[in-house]
Each structure stands twice: as structure tokens, then as C-alpha cells.
Amino acid sequence: MTAVAAARSGVVAGRGGRLLGHAGWALAVAAPLAFLGVFFALPVGTLVLRGFVADGALDLTGFTEVFSRPRTWRIIGLTLAQATVGTAISVLLGLPGAHLLYRREFRGRGVVRALVVVPFVLPTVVVGVAFRSVLSDSGPLGALGWDGTFAGVVAALVFFNYSVVVRTVGAFWVQLDRRAEDAAAALGAPPWRVFTSVTLPALTPAIASAASIVFLFCATAFGVVLVLGGTRYGTVETEIWVQTAQFLDLRAAAVLSVVQLVVVAGALLAAGRARDRRERALQMTAPERASRPPRLALRGPGRRAGDIAAVAVTGAVGVLLLALPLATVAVRSLRTPTGWGLDNYANLATTGGRNALSVTVWEATLTSLRVALDATVIAVVVGGLVALVVSRRPRARARRRAVRLLDAVFMLPLGVSAVTVGFGFLVALHRPLGLDLDLRSSPLLIPIAQAVVATPLVVRTVLPVLRAVDSRLHEAAAVLGASPARVLATVDWPVAARSLGLALGLAFAVSLGEFGATSFLARPERPTLPVVIFRLIGRPGAENLGMALAASVVLGLLTATVMSLAERLRHGSSVEI
Amino acid sequence: MAHDGSPVAPGAAPGASAHPTSATGRGLAVRDVVVHYRDDDGTVATAVDGLSLDVAPGEVVALLGPSGSGKSSLLRAIAGLEPVSAGTIAWDGADVAGTPVHRRGFGLMFQDGQLFAHRDVAGNVAYGLEMARVPVAERRARVGELLTLVGLDGFERRDVASLSGGERQRVALARSLAPRPRLLLLDEPLSALDRALRERLAGDVRAALTATGTTAVFVTHDHDEAFAVADRIAVMDLGRLLQVAAPAELWHRPASRRVAEFLGYEAFVGGSSRVGGLVGASSEALLALGPGSLRREADGPLVGTVRSTGFRRGVTELVVDVEGLGEVTVVEPSRADPAGVPGAGEAVRLGVDDDAVARVAG
């Protein structure tokens, strides 16, 4: 029985159309499950097994050995510390931003809202390069001495996740019924008491939701930590890479992957709980009652001290944390050993000083675009199917539980580190399931790995839109004679299509910048742009650094262009993480 | 304009002709239907409890009952949107249990319209016709015809978001009538509108239904609406039917005290009791008094004390505590000069308007 029909009727009729419907839904469930099974569960599972099993027998010596190393404990401690501090600062800085961008109206608010999202989609390698150029001794903030320190890494993590807090909390905040605050004020509470006694408690579910997701992103950060942390600072994620690529200790890497899975599962669990609470809290407020936010007033009778503080904090974040690193990369990409010029960009057609690369940067760019295109198609098809299935509300309780389970299963890759996926591909896809084929040489391998990483974002973009379709709209179509398939085509599709632009853009941007999985899988003769940038900054020579900066600008611009095109297509939908 | 009411609903059983002369076996037959309602937390309640109802072709039946009485569940079960736990629902003698929603040829109009936001007015009205694969030219003509019927001439290209609440419901009505459903189910279609609009639209809905000869079940919790729209009214409470009758009969001969109370009757005189000039009709029957049953008379047989006075749309309402009866509302035309209207605490004498006293069947 189709889920649509189950959701609507529960009336079973053994007709041909029904049978076709069953087959369609079975396929819609099976295709993503198979994809995730082979390209996510299999690699990750193999990896986990490798940590526990040696020569066909349970063997935990790998664990005892890895955990007896002081280095392991230091890395775990660093991972948790970085994630905790990064999350706390992101939330503290993000709250004023959410207030300003979602609870106040001012000219240019739309532009600022769009700009704030940019860091989230920027490739990690680009951000790493940007923070390095700001914090290096010759950079504008070199005096801080943060280059290669804990503080530098945390600053970059906050850069990424600031927008997650602003958007998650802001989207919730805007729907809060402001009359509760009005009531508190009318009862004599001064503005700060209104905030601490009414607003903040009401926001807690959204803050918890944002914090757990930010913690997740911080704990699984890879590219930015690898670039900024140097040898002293790392996370479990970078350590897996170091153990694999430098020490060739696959056993230790597998053990660390298991550790990473535990951290991620914990954070995901917390995130899921917080999301449930947030959704429940939202059901209590009627969105149509939310009136227009007041205009921002910094002078005159309407001014509020809280607003002034929010503007100050958000302004400082915008200039120092968000704009400065990006501007520095752009400016320094124009600096050459002999002065200013476009030499670095001209060099993108070469393979770098002392042949640092095996291909030119432009060739790598082309590879990146091709790979991203393939990955986007895969991610949107798989993610679209998942969103469709998960958005159904079947009547039968068992089926409803199955839908919820499916939802959770497909969120796993969002948390499970890209490095684990990439590493898992290497380990598992050689003779997968005993079959005599080596998927590792397939040109589709990198697109598939990137699609695994991008799929949850596609789901989170399309799903809220599909869920927002009133089930009675389906019923209205059905009583007017629309078969379940035509209900999908005439009611759900026109609505979902509007969010597809954003989903496409996000998937494309994510694959363009994907570094964690790709760094394991990219073949030396066909590297992608982020891989090339990372290689360039690892090589000596001012020429190579200049090229890395120029390539970062190119990658950043590509990403920004894709996202702004997607924003144009999106018509008011947004990604809900 | 094809107002013959012949259904062209997709998949409708062929040969379901328009105006049968006899009601027996034709039209809608609901027999001993039980509908369970499952809440989100998994608890199951019985929304419809062994209910039977017949609706003849071309007839408009109102399902009247307080909220939570199971009216909407019954309607959704008839439409096929809610599973039936027991009993049968048949159209022209054929059980529809195995027929999925979209092949039943039953229309359903929602309380809040549920218009498709991504389609304009014409696109909404044409939706059912598209599903029935009606040719474009015919579709366009039918859309124009329906919009005229509901008083929205020239609204074809309007965005549904730009419509007022009343206009939306008109579009929803046109949309559900367009494919000529063999049965139209209306689920509190006017409840979300303000009072004046509701009263006007109730008349318009009645006109549209009779003009198209549409068989309809109209769910409402508002008596005035039910009286304005329906040929017969089925009073429903706690999942069961209390009475099915024509409006006048229902009003003057409520089947039980519960029905009379729901209709707004306030005081009851039962058995052989004798209050003033009123005599209980018989040992079994009950007399029901409501607003308008009593009027002030200088030498009236009943005595009461005014509890409160109110003013409502051209009438003065006096709530009077009548000796031996309890509180009854006395309604009289309001006057510009409030002198002469007794205030709270004053004693008044009252007479009985026999025509405005209902006889409750035992």
C-alpha cells in the first residue's frame, strides 16, 4: 500500500494502480537505502570492524594499544575542547545576530542575511587559508600571535558556524509570539528582565538545537583544522588522516573512527532531541499571529539599549571575523614577490613552483566542476527521494515509526565525518562483499563520496517544504479525482520544486569544497581544486603560496556564484538543519 | 449550463443517472457505520458509533451537532479519507468500501477551503476537470460557468492569496462543484467566516446546490446555517444520530430533550405538571420553551422576575426566572425609548405563544 494512500485513506483496494503505487514507493525507499547501504554503511561498518577484528577474531588489542598512547588522549581532549569552546562562542555571538536579523527590520537586512550564510558554504580549505593569512605574522591580526594556536582554530570554527546559530535561532525567534514579551513588559519587567525571564527560556529549544549541531560540525571539522592547527593542534578527524596518510597505521585510524562515531552519535542524539523540542514548542505558537518586527532604531525615542549592543556585537563579528579573512585572501592573492599584480592568477595555468602539482590549477578546477555536477545529481535524486518518503504521514503506527527511523538513518552522514567516509571507501570498496571488482578506480567514486556528504543537506532543505504541505491539501486533490501519483505531481511537486534550486546549489557548493573524503580518494593525476590548494600551501615557496591564495579566491567565487544563483531560485525556502 | 447534476466524476459508476424519482435504494446509504479516531498519542476513540443515514439524490442534508460529535469523522469516512471499522457506505446500492477516494466521485469542501496556492482561481476550479481529463475548451467554459454561479465573474486569473475569506470559500465551492460530483460533502464550509458573511453565503450555497441539483451533506454546528441550507437536518451527538427531520418538524417536534436543548430550548414542562396556563401535553410528552415562547402580557398567567436584559440586533432580550419553569428568554422588538422595558429584579407577568412552544416526542 502506498504511503500516500495510507496517509489518506486506509481503504485498501486491490487494483492495478495500487500495485504500481506499491512498486513506486518500494523503489523510492529501496534506492536511497541501497545507495546508503553500499556507500555509507558498508565503508563505515568495515572500518569499525577493522578496529575490533584482526585475522577473523575479536581483537581489542588495537583499542588498548591506541588508547595507551598519550597522543590519543590529547587529541580527544583537544577535539572536545575545540568543539565546546567553538560552540559556546558561536552561540554567544550568534544570539545578537539572530535578534538583529530576525527581530528587527532595517534597510538592507535581506542582503546582510544572505551574506551571513556565505561562510557556511565556503570550502574549508579556503577558510583555512584565509585565517592563516589574517593571523600570520605579516597579516592584519598577526600581532595577536594566534597563528597555529588553539585560538586560531576556534576562531575559524566560529567563522563557519556563526551563521548556523543565527539562522536556526533566528528562524525560531521570528515565529515566537511577541505578546508574551509585551505582557511581561506590561507587568513591569524592564527590557533585560523580559529577555532573561521570557525570551531566553522560550528560545532554549532553538539554542540547544543550534548548539548541538554546531558542536557536531566543530567536532568533525577537518580541512580547517588541518590547515590551521599544524602539527600541534588536531582533532580525531585530522588524526585519522594523519595515521592513514602519514603513519600508514590503518588499525589506529580504524580505532579513531570508532571514537569519532561515538562522539557523533552522542551529538546527533542531542540534536535530534533538541529538534523535537523545538518543533513541539513551535506548534504552540500560531505563526500567523506573529506580526511584523519593529524597525531598528538606534536614536530617538524608540531606541533600545539591547539593540545598540546587538548592532555593536554583530558589526564587530561581521567586520573582524567574517569580512577581514575573506578580504585578506583577496588582497594578498594580488601580491607578488615583486609588488602587486595578477601574476598569481596567471600562474594558475601552471603546475606551480618546482612542479608542486601534477596538473594545472585550471585543470583541477575543471575536474572539481565535473565531479560536483555528478555529485549534485546523485545527492539531489537520493535526497529528494528520502525527503519525499520521510515527509509522508502514514496512518499505520508501525509504518509511521518506520518513516521516523528512515529520517534518522539518513541524517547519519550529516554527522559522520567525511574523513571516515573517505577512509572507509578506501578500505571497503576494494572487492566489496567479496565481489571481484575494485570500485576504488571508478571515476564516480569521488562524486559518490561527496554525494553521501551532501545528501543530508538536500534532505534538510526539501523536507521542511514538503512537510509544510497540509495533508488536507492532498485530500482536497484526492476527492477531486486525483490518483495518488497525480496528487504527487500536482500538489507536492510544484511546492517541492521551489526548494529544489536551493538544494541543487547547496549540494553543488558542498561538493565543490568537499575536502575530507576527497583528500583520501583523489587520484594524484586528477586532484580537485581543494586538494590542489592544500598541496600548494604545504609546499615551500612564495609562488606556491600566492597560487594557493589565488586558487582560494577562485574557489570561493565559484561557490558564492553557485549559491547566489540558487538563492535566486529558492523563493523563500531555507535549509533547516 | 448543464445543471442536470449528472455526475462526470472520474471513475464514477456508469449509469448513475441524475434525478431518480424514488429515494429507495438510490443515493447515499450509510448503514451502522463505526469510525474510530486514532489520536497522535495512539489513543483510540469512537467518533461515529453505529450510525445509519440515507440521502436521496438531489437532497441536501445538514449534519448538525456540537463540536466533537463525530460529524466531520462521518463525512471523512463517506469521502473515503477515514477508514470505516464496521458498517457499510453505499451509493445507489453499490458498496463503496473498495473504491479509493479519487474514484468515488464524491466532492469534499473543507472548512478553510484548502485552495492550491500555486494555482490561480481558474486553475483551482479546473483541477477536478483536469483529473477527469475534460478537454481544455470545455474546461474553460465550465470554470466560467461555475465562477458566475458563485458570483466571482472574471476572477479567473486572480491569485488565490489575494482573495478574502468569503471569496476563497466561493472558489472552494466552485472547485468542488466543477466536476459534478455525485455527492458533495461540505465540512463546516462557512465556520471560519464572520457572521454577516456566513449568513449571506449560506443562502448562496443553498442556491448553488439547488441550481446544480447536487446531492449534498452539509456539516455544521450552527442551527441557523442548517435551517438555511438543508432539506432535512440530522442532529448528531456522541457519534449517534438523535433525529433526522425537515427543518420545521425538527424545530416544532424535537425528538428528545437533548435535541431540544441543542436547538436552544431552555425550559421544559413535563408529564401532568401544570404551570400557569401551561399543561404538560401528556404523560409522556414534554413541552419545550425557548426564546420567543413567552411574551409579556399585563394579565398573563405566568409570573417571573427579570434577571438581566440584553440588546441584540433589533430585539430586546429579557432573561426571566419564571416561577415553576426556570429561566426563559423573552424576546421583544426593541424600542428607541428604553422606558417601559423592565430592569433586572422587576417582576413581570407573561403569556404563552402556543405556536412557539415545541412538543418534544416522548
Side-chain angles (χ1 to χ4, degrees):
Chain A
M1 168 155 207
T2 71
V4 173
R8 280 200 335 257
S9 67
V11 179
V12 188
R15 298 207 179 174
R18 289 266 158 154
L19 224 59
L20 216 67
H22 294 216
W25 282 106
L27 196 69
V29 174
L33 271 182
F35 176 81
L36 223 64
V38 174
F39 297 114
F40 180 70
L42 181 67
V44 173
T46 311
L47 209 54
V48 171
L49 269 185
R50 198 166 258 247
F52 286 107
V53 178
D55 301 327
L58 184 68
D59 177 9
L60 294 177
T61 51
F63 275 84
T64 45
E65 201 258 316
V66 172
F67 280 115
S68 63
R69 298 180 194 166
R71 182 186 168 91
T72 307
W73 289 108
R74 195 174 62 86
I75 290 289
I76 293 175
L78 268 177
T79 305
L80 295 179
Q82 276 167 15
T84 309
V85 177
T87 305
I89 296 178
S90 297
V91 169
L92 281 180
L93 294 181
L95 278 183
H99 168 78
L100 205 58
L101 294 181
Y102 287 86
R103 292 283 279 191
R104 289 290 175 266
E105 230 169 49
F106 54 90
R107 209 182 299 162
R109 189 177 68 165
V111 179
V112 180
R113 272 198 202 175
L115 282 178
V116 161
V117 197
V118 171
F120 180 66
V121 293
L122 275 185
T124 55
V125 178
V126 173
V127 176
V129 170
F131 271 80
R132 249 183 123 174
S133 34
V134 171
L135 299 175
S136 68
D137 293 340
S138 58
L141 297 182
L144 290 173
W146 281 6
D147 192 16
T149 65
F150 185 80
V153 174
V154 167
L157 291 177
V158 173
F159 172 91
F160 268 116
N161 292 301
Y162 174 75
S163 66
V164 177
V165 175
V166 170
R167 289 192 82 140
T168 310
V169 176
F172 181 87
W173 206 337
V174 81
Q175 293 181 65
L176 276 189
D177 195 338
R178 231 189 353 258
R179 286 170 308 175
E181 293 169 12
D182 296 345
L187 289 167
W192 67 270
R193 290 290 306 265
V194 171
F195 181 75
T196 53
S197 65
V198 177
T199 314
L200 211 50
L203 284 180
T204 309
I207 294 175
S209 179
S212 45
I213 211 78
V214 168
F215 186 89
L216 191 66
F217 286 156
C218 289
T220 56
F222 174 64
V224 73
V225 180
L226 200 60
V227 174
L228 282 176
T231 49
R232 280 191 299 147
Y233 293 95
T235 56
V236 176
E237 195 84 347
T238 57
E239 187 64 11
I240 295 170
W241 187 83
V242 169
Q243 292 292 343
T244 316
Q246 294 182 359
F247 300 156
L248 300 175
D249 186 348
L250 294 190
R251 191 90 195 273
V255 170
L256 287 167
S257 296
V258 175
V259 171
Q260 183 72 332
L261 277 176
V262 171
V263 172
V264 164
L268 268 184
L269 210 67
R273 276 231 187 114
R275 204 177 62 212
D276 277 358
R277 268 196 296 154
R278 189 183 57 181
E279 278 167 7
R280 237 174 300 140
L282 261 193
Q283 280 165 6
M284 290 186 292
T285 63
E288 67 267 26
R289 288 208 185 128
S291 46
R292 280 170 70 86
R295 280 199 75 80
L296 180 68
L298 299 178
R299 277 168 303 178
R303 87 182 179 145
R304 277 155 292 223
D307 281 1
I308 296 172
V311 168
V313 172
T314 308
V317 169
V319 171
L320 289 177
L321 189 70
L322 305 186
L324 190 61
L326 299 181
T328 309
V329 181
V331 170
R332 292 188 61 171
S333 73
L334 296 171
R335 194 150 76 199
T336 68
T338 54
W340 300 91
L342 291 170
D343 302 18
N344 290 327
Y345 291 90
N347 284 342
L348 294 183
T350 72
T351 53
R354 290 175 229 156
N355 269 345
L357 307 172
S358 50
V359 297
T360 69
V361 176
W362 291 127
E363 282 166 344
T365 308
L366 205 61
T367 307
S368 269
L369 287 172
R370 281 196 190 126
V371 167
L373 199 64
D374 293 342
T376 303
V377 171
I378 300 171
V380 168
V381 168
V382 174
L385 284 176
V386 172
L388 182 61
V389 171
V390 172
S391 70
R392 299 299 106 176
R393 282 158 284 208
R395 185 181 293 278
R397 213 154 11 131
R399 213 163 278 159
R400 227 188 308 180
R401 226 174 274 156
V403 161
R404 222 174 295 153
L405 186 71
L406 216 58
D407 188 13
V409 164
F410 280 104
M411 278 312 105
L412 278 178
L414 181 70
V416 171
S417 67
V419 168
T420 310
V421 171
F423 181 34
F425 269 39
L426 274 190
V427 175
L429 296 184
H430 170 59
R431 302 177 66 88
L433 306 169
L435 298 173
D436 187 22
L437 47 103
D438 190 353
L439 289 176
R440 290 179 301 177
S441 59
S442 162
L444 272 178
L445 194 61
I446 299 177
I448 287 173
Q450 296 184 345
V452 169
V453 176
T455 298
L457 281 176
V458 173
V459 175
R460 282 288 162 238
T461 311
V462 180
L463 184 59
V465 179
L466 279 179
R467 277 215 175 123
V469 177
D470 195 323
S471 64
R472 282 171 310 158
L473 219 48
H474 296 142
E475 296 174 357
V479 291
L480 287 167
S483 62
R486 300 196 80 185
V487 173
L488 274 184
T490 57
V491 178
D492 294 291
W493 171 251
V495 178
R498 285 183 291 166
S499 66
L500 217 58
L502 183 62
L504 280 169
L506 264 177
F508 200 86
V510 166
S511 3
L512 260 187
E514 212 290 319
F515 180 60
T518 313
S519 60
F520 279 88
L521 302 172
R523 315 201 128 233
E525 71 276 15
R526 285 176 65 80
T528 63
L529 195 46
V531 172
V532 159
I533 293 172
F534 182 68
R535 209 167 286 167
L536 280 173
I537 52 174
R539 297 293 148 99
E543 190 191 343
N544 287 336
L545 181 62
M547 272 176 73
L549 290 165
S552 295
V553 171
V554 169
L555 183 51
L557 281 179
L558 274 177
T559 313
T561 309
V562 168
M563 281 314 291
S564 66
L565 283 177
E567 289 272 326
R568 220 174 269 181
L569 290 171
R570 81 196 193 107
H571 297 293
S573 59
S574 70
V575 60
E576 191 198 310
I577 297 156
Chain B
M1 178 162 180
H3 276 162
D4 59 1
S6 68
V8 293
S17 72
H19 280 302
T21 46
S22 146
T24 48
R26 317 231 51 168
L28 178 73
V30 175
R31 285 285 168 278
D32 307 315
V33 160
V34 177
V35 178
H36 290 300
Y37 174 79
R38 188 191 293 277
D39 227 334
D40 279 339
D41 57 8
T43 52
V44 177
T46 305
V48 179
D49 191 4
L51 181 146
S52 297
L53 175 69
D54 287 287
V55 181
E59 191 184 28
V60 179
V61 169
L63 262 182
L64 177 65
S67 32
S69 57
K71 313 178 297 275
S72 292
S73 296
L74 175 62
L75 210 64
R76 293 171 57 81
I78 295 171
L81 296 168
E82 210 70 46
V84 175
S85 306
T88 58
I89 295 169
W91 181 264
D92 283 353
D95 194 337
V96 296
T99 313
V101 183
H102 65 281
R103 297 219 178 89
R104 289 198 180 188
F106 296 168
L108 175 61
M109 183 177 163
F110 291 86
Q111 179 175 351
D112 47 359
Q114 293 298 334
L115 298 180
F116 302 123
H118 58 280
R119 289 169 162 248
D120 59 13
V121 168
N124 268 279
V125 177
Y127 187 89
L129 303 169
E130 287 169 28
M131 295 304 129
R133 299 180 205 285
V134 172
V136 177
E138 200 179 316
R139 215 189 289 163
R140 199 170 301 143
R142 178 83 179 141
V143 169
E145 197 176 289
L146 260 305
L147 287 179
T148 306
L149 182 73
V150 298
L152 291 179
D153 264 318
F155 272 57
E156 276 90 345
R157 295 274 82 86
R158 285 278 293 273
D159 183 359
V160 293
S162 71
L163 302 179
S164 70
E167 286 166 347
R168 276 181 214 194
Q169 287 309 79
R170 286 173 192 270
V171 173
L173 179 63
R175 182 177 74 176
S176 30
L177 283 172
R180 298 194 180 92
R182 32 187 200 168
L183 171 69
L184 179 59
L185 307 161
L186 302 104
D187 191 0
E188 308 229 6
L190 309 177
S191 298
L193 306 175
D194 60 57
R195 186 197 172 94
L197 193 58
R198 203 164 68 217
E199 288 177 0
R200 203 171 69 231
L201 263 183
D204 292 355
V205 169
R206 167 82 196 171
L209 291 178
T210 47
T212 51
T214 305
T215 312
V217 178
F218 185 105
V219 161
T220 177
H221 60 258
D222 182 300
H223 328 119
D224 294 337
E225 220 171 277
F227 286 117
V229 170
D231 297 317
R232 282 193 303 148
I233 296 172
V235 182
M236 193 169 170
D237 193 27
L238 300 174
R240 296 165 181 274
L241 279 190
L242 300 178
Q243 185 176 9
V244 186
E249 190 193 339
L250 179 72
W251 187 252
H252 294 291
R253 299 276 180 278
S256 67
R257 185 167 171 147
R258 178 85 186 99
V259 173
E261 277 170 349
F262 181 65
L263 292 174
Y265 287 102
E266 300 164 301
F268 297 88
V269 183
S272 53
S273 62
R274 175 179 288 268
V275 180
L278 273 171
V279 184
S282 74
S283 57
E284 275 139 46
L286 204 62
L287 291 183
L289 288 84
S293 301
L294 302 180
R295 56 176 173 244
R296 277 200 292 148
E297 276 171 16
D299 52 353
L302 296 168
V303 185
T305 314
V306 176
R307 289 281 170 239
S308 64
T309 64
F311 182 82
R312 209 174 77 154
R313 273 230 271 188
V315 295
T316 301
E317 293 181 334
L318 305 173
V319 178
V320 182
D321 190 355
V322 184
E323 275 174 31
L325 272 179
E327 290 191 353
V328 179
T329 307
V330 175
V331 181
E332 48 194 52
S334 117
R335 281 172 288 228
D337 174 19
V341 178
E346 283 183 43
V348 288
R349 294 198 75 86
L350 303 164
V352 181
D353 181 349
D354 282 328
D355 290 334
V357 175
R359 275 159 186 76
V360 180

